[in-house]
Amino acid sequence: MKRILLPLFLSLFLCSISQAQSLDSGIELYRNGDYERALRIFEQSESTEAHLFAAKSLYALGRYYKANAYLSAINAETNDSEVIAEAAYTKALVQFQLKNYAQVLDHLYYINTTYTQSRIYARSATLYDEILNYLSEDDLKEVINQSVQLDVKVDALTASLGRIDYSSAKAVLAQLKEMSPPKTEVDLYQIESQLRDSVTYNSRYASAPKYPTAPKGMAYHLGVALPAFEMNEQEYEIAQHLYFGIQLAVEEFNSEESYKKAFLHYKNTNQESISLDEQIADLIWNKNVDAIIGPLFSEKAKVFAETAQKYEVPVITPLANSDEINESNNYLFQLNPTFAARGKKMAQYAVNTLGFDTLAVLAELNSLGEASALAFRHEAERLGAVIQHFFLEDLESNGYDIFEYTAYLSKTDTLNPAPGLDAVYAPFTGSAAPTLIRNLLTDLEATRSDYTLLGSQEWEDTDVEGIRLENTSIHYSQGFEVKYEDSPTQNFESNFRVRFQTDPTRFAYIGYDVGKVVLDTIKRVQNPRNLKEGLRNLRNYMGLSTDVDFNGYQVNQAVKIKSLQKSDF
């Protein structure tokens, strides 16, 4: 019998040594940041320590739900207080990334009141205070409704005083008084003393910062929804360089921030096997994104707009400029000014900058320029100008012969005089724009009608060298313009070339700008709950290719106006 037991004992002894060595090698890999290889080792062991480090590896890899599954089993596996405390702390970190702040605070409260001698206690107490001071008003509401610890609710309200308005603070206090047993009366009395009246409250917290500071270790997750194309397709470089620009903005953010990181999660909106709804759901439910950049085209942006509203996740479109996709939607932001925004800006420029008070409009019905024309008329009249002629017509039906309308603008035809007319706004768009622009110039030349001309971006690309109207000037709207001579642009170009081994197109600059807009706003508001408000209040952002001024809207109002004088052409 002894001969049989000795080899068995030796085998078990060697096996335990081998497992211990494997666990040590896994921990070494974990500490070196090689989480995937470490995880494979930890998953092969049934020890409590292996389960703990498997959860920590999964957390580092962003696989929060599976990490939580490992952690939930640890309490039943061991009586080791240090392991239980560290598991609770890791649970708090996992729930923090999932934005379940009530559970985060409950886990930390459990450590802080139960394991005061644990080596994890100091970190737990610090994180507890940081999160209390980080909560938005919506976060506070969830903590009050979902936390199982009354002391946590009281602490959350105390930390939120000054960040929430007086009426909200009074309402939460009343709710806590309904819940509280006698032992918390002192805590509630201290809060009540600070809420005696609104004047005292507002004066006490007048200098309180509007936005809190994010806890150390904060991770922000950005979804990027752009189409993938084959290399020989015309749109390939557009989507690729947009993504490269966004990626460079994220890498710059991560290099500048010591205690915060941003991560990208890409979705191919051209993938036919997965619907847009499924892609958005995956970004929101499984990747826990704080915002989505994209998609590329307006028709797909409509789908994203509906889902953004449903889940209250901001979507920022870099190029889509339809006037319809953000109607009645509080979460879709358009970096590229819409045609209505361009028309409004041109009207302000015509009246306030050029000093004109009598204007005419000629645009094509059912074209993108229609929205510009209508917005121009509305804004010009609001500013006190007179729209002498407003032609919104089916110009295609006559082969784009527009003489029947330009005749009313003639300075030589006494039957159709245009007295006092200062300028003509012609927001022609699409493939017909060059033809319409040439026809308009030809008709005005024939009648020596050298009005100032106001137009859309298509005027920039039209050959006007042969124009014979000596006193005519042309002003057109423009959404994007790369500032090639500026030092930041040249630095970006150099960094882009080193990083991606190619020269940036203008779409790379646009991608970088949209990435910077989102990340700079996150830096300012700290909590993604405040991102929508932060974007709406963004003003005077000066990008490499895009100036951004949402100014209380969700459409960029920063439309550039470019000018051409006769000497320029």
Side-chain angles (χ1 to χ4, degrees), residues 518-533:
V518 175
L519 292 167
D520 283 359
T521 305
I522 284 176
K523 278 185 184 180
R524 179 162 50 89
V525 305
Q526 299 284 311
N527 191 328
R529 287 271 202 178
N530 300 318
L531 183 56
K532 181 191 74 168
E533 177 189 355

Side-chain angles (χ1 to χ4, degrees), residues 258-300:
S258 300
Y259 301 110
K260 306 180 187 74
K261 296 300 173 189
F263 299 92
L264 291 180
H265 304 277
Y266 171 73
K267 289 294 178 183
N268 173 15
T269 56
N270 270 358
Q271 191 171 355
E272 296 181 358
S273 60
I274 303 177
S275 70
L276 289 179
D277 286 335
E278 290 177 299
Q279 292 186 350
I280 302 168
D282 183 64
L283 286 172
I284 292 172
W285 286 98
N286 296 326
K287 302 301 187 293
N288 300 289
V289 297
D290 301 305
I292 299 173
I293 298 175
L296 194 59
F297 303 115
S298 294
E299 61 270 18
K300 292 186 177 180

Side-chain angles (χ1 to χ4, degrees), residues 544-555:
L544 304 184
S545 68
T546 316
D547 293 341
V548 183
D549 189 351
F550 285 117
N551 195 23
Y553 297 91
Q554 286 152 245
V555 174

Side-chain angles (χ1 to χ4, degrees), residues 434-567:
T435 299
L436 287 168
I437 291 171
R438 283 194 298 271
N439 289 349
L440 175 60
L441 290 172
T442 299
D443 290 352
L444 293 178
E445 286 178 11
T447 58
R448 298 191 295 279
S449 303
D450 52 356
Y451 305 113
T452 294
L453 298 175
L454 313 173
S456 54
Q457 186 163 329
E458 280 76 359
W459 283 79
E460 178 185 33
D461 301 322
T462 301
D463 180 12
V464 292
E465 290 186 1
I467 189 172
R468 294 189 297 275
L469 296 170
E470 294 297 327
N471 298 319
T472 292
S473 61
I474 297 173
H475 309 269
Y476 58 89
S477 59
Q478 189 177 64
F480 301 110
E481 181 186 26
V482 179
K483 304 166 186 175
Y484 290 106
E485 302 304 319
D486 291 357
S487 295
T489 305
Q490 294 173 0
N491 291 337
F492 170 82
E493 182 179 355
S494 176
N495 293 337
F496 188 95
R497 192 180 296 113
V498 169
R499 178 68 175 81
F500 301 110
Q501 302 300 304
T502 187
D503 290 326
T505 68
R506 69 187 185 104
F507 297 103
Y509 296 98
I510 295 170
Y512 178 79
D513 282 341
V514 68
K516 287 284 288 182
V517 163
V518 175
L519 292 167
D520 283 359
T521 305
I522 284 176
K523 278 185 184 180
R524 179 162 50 89
V525 305
Q526 299 284 311
N527 191 328
R529 287 271 202 178
N530 300 318
L531 183 56
K532 181 191 74 168
E533 177 189 355
L535 288 170
R536 282 180 64 89
N537 293 331
L538 182 63
R539 292 174 172 84
N540 302 321
Y541 174 85
M542 309 295 285
L544 304 184
S545 68
T546 316
D547 293 341
V548 183
D549 189 351
F550 285 117
N551 195 23
Y553 297 91
Q554 286 152 245
V555 174
N556 186 11
Q557 304 296 304
V559 179
K560 298 181 180 69
I561 304 297
K562 306 291 290 183
S563 300
L564 292 172
Q565 304 298 326
K566 178 64 180 176
S567 59

Side-chain angles (χ1 to χ4, degrees), residues 114-393:
T114 308
Y115 297 102
T116 56
Q117 302 303 313
S118 168
R119 62 175 178 267
I120 209 77
Y121 171 79
R123 278 188 285 164
S124 177
T126 299
L127 183 58
Y128 184 78
D129 289 339
E130 287 179 346
I131 292 175
L132 285 174
N133 290 301
Y134 170 74
L135 301 177
S136 70
E137 189 164 343
D138 287 336
D139 296 329
L140 172 64
K141 184 176 180 181
E142 290 183 5
V143 170
I144 297 299
N145 290 332
Q146 297 175 15
S147 172
V148 299
Q149 298 291 341
L150 182 58
D151 286 346
V152 168
K153 300 174 194 261
V154 173
D155 288 345
L157 175 57
T158 302
S160 296
L161 295 178
R163 293 202 307 274
I164 61 174
D165 60 42
Y166 176 77
S167 59
S168 296
K170 288 282 285 186
V172 177
L173 175 63
Q175 187 176 352
L176 292 181
K177 290 173 74 173
E178 287 291 318
M179 302 176 185
S180 64
K183 68 175 183 178
T184 60
E185 285 181 353
V186 173
D187 293 323
L188 295 180
Y189 177 78
Q190 291 174 347
I191 296 173
E192 197 164 21
S193 68
Q194 298 180 60
L195 297 174
R196 289 174 183 159
D197 61 81
S198 60
V199 174
T200 302
Y201 178 82
N202 293 330
S203 175
R204 178 192 293 269
Y205 296 107
S207 60
K210 181 177 177 62
Y211 298 116
T213 301
K216 293 179 180 179
M218 185 72 186
Y220 300 105
H221 296 270
L222 304 182
V224 179
L226 294 173
F229 297 98
E230 297 295 331
M231 290 188 65
N232 59 349
E233 294 184 86
Q234 184 178 359
E235 299 92 342
Y236 171 79
E237 202 170 62
I238 297 175
Q240 183 194 51
H241 278 240
L242 275 170
Y243 185 84
F244 283 167
I246 297 167
Q247 186 176 350
L248 211 56
V250 167
E251 291 174 0
E252 183 179 295
F253 176 89
N254 289 338
S255 68
E256 293 172 352
E257 296 293 324
S258 300
Y259 301 110
K260 306 180 187 74
K261 296 300 173 189
F263 299 92
L264 291 180
H265 304 277
Y266 171 73
K267 289 294 178 183
N268 173 15
T269 56
N270 270 358
Q271 191 171 355
E272 296 181 358
S273 60
I274 303 177
S275 70
L276 289 179
D277 286 335
E278 290 177 299
Q279 292 186 350
I280 302 168
D282 183 64
L283 286 172
I284 292 172
W285 286 98
N286 296 326
K287 302 301 187 293
N288 300 289
V289 297
D290 301 305
I292 299 173
I293 298 175
L296 194 59
F297 303 115
S298 294
E299 61 270 18
K300 292 186 177 180
K302 292 179 183 178
V303 179
F304 274 74
E306 295 170 1
T307 307
Q309 182 81 2
K310 178 180 177 180
Y311 292 109
E312 299 183 348
V313 173
V315 171
I316 304 92
T317 62
L319 298 181
N321 57 9
S322 169
D323 288 285
E324 300 174 356
I325 60 177
N326 67 358
E327 291 179 354
S328 304
N329 190 296
N330 295 324
Y331 284 86
L332 185 83
F333 293 84
Q334 293 177 253
L335 197 73
N336 191 6
T338 64
F339 288 93
R342 295 164 192 251
K344 178 181 178 181
K345 183 71 173 184
M346 185 59 80
Q348 294 169 351
Y349 182 79
V351 177
N352 296 334
T353 302
L354 299 180
F356 294 157
D357 58 15
T358 307
L359 305 161
V361 178
L362 173 60
E364 186 174 10
L365 186 67
N366 297 324
S367 71
L368 295 173
E370 178 177 345
S372 298
L374 293 171
F376 179 92
R377 178 175 67 178
H378 180 271
E379 184 67 7
E381 290 177 342
R382 189 189 70 82
L383 294 172
V386 174
I387 302 298
Q388 189 179 86
H389 298 291
F390 185 82
F391 301 117
L392 183 57
E393 306 291 341

